[in-house]
Amino acid sequence: VRIDVGRGVGVWFGTARAGTTIRIGSVLSPPTDGRFCIHFNAERQEIEFLHLIQALGLSLSVERIAAVPWPITIGKPHLFRALVRREFIEVYIDDRYVHGQVIAEGFEPSRIGFFCELACGVFQQPTLWQMG
């Protein structure tokens, strides 16, 4: 992962948190899918752990779960690894342990994607391994 400019980028993993609706005024959003995001926030120098919930249209509602102070250098690649098992995720950056988090609803391993918050960056050679 490399942030070239801006606030931050991240990787999200689908969760089994489905069927949530959000009320905005008198409008109910359609049922949402849950996403758990590991966000490299260069602006705050933190690794953030977020729930991303689709709101109306393409917008997302962001719920911050936890954050770990972490040096993030603009323009420098950081090796990112995540180990996901049922309801638990462990995060490693540059071969150092960052944080472990339990998600009660569990992960849906077939859904993985990328998140960008007012930034430009690169996800170089993303690779997924499935443990037997």
Side-chain angles (χ1 to χ4, degrees):
V1 174
R2 186 184 77 225
I3 302 169
D4 292 328
V5 66
R7 184 173 297 155
V9 297
V11 176
W12 61 260
F13 299 87
T15 68
R17 182 188 216 182
T20 306
T21 58
I22 298 169
R23 180 178 293 279
I24 300 175
S26 62
V27 178
L28 278 177
S29 71
T32 62
D33 58 345
R35 298 174 191 154
F36 178 83
C37 181
I38 293 101
H39 183 234
F40 290 71
N41 191 327
E43 188 175 85
R44 289 186 175 177
Q45 291 293 293
E46 294 178 331
I47 303 299
E48 294 179 302
F49 299 85
L50 313 168
H51 260 138
L52 304 177
I53 303 165
Q54 187 167 353
L56 294 176
L58 297 175
S59 53
L60 293 170
S61 170
V62 177
E63 174 188 349
R64 187 172 156 147
I65 299 167
V68 176
W70 202 268
I72 301 168
T73 305
I74 297 287
K76 175 189 176 232
H78 296 276
L79 176 63
F80 165 73
R81 293 180 189 183
L83 174 62
V84 180
R85 293 181 308 251
R86 295 183 202 98
E87 297 87 21
F88 185 71
I89 188 167
E90 284 181 346
V91 174
Y92 298 84
I93 297 175
D94 298 326
D95 291 326
R96 292 175 43 212
Y97 175 78
V98 177
H99 183 73
Q101 184 72 44
V102 173
I103 302 297
E105 64 269 21
F107 288 96
E108 176 56 51
S110 64
R111 296 177 38 241
I112 297 172
F114 303 102
F115 176 74
C116 177
E117 185 179 23
L118 303 172
C120 291
V122 175
F123 295 92
Q124 189 174 13
Q125 297 178 333
T127 307
L128 175 67
W129 291 275
Q130 182 173 349
M131 296 173 66

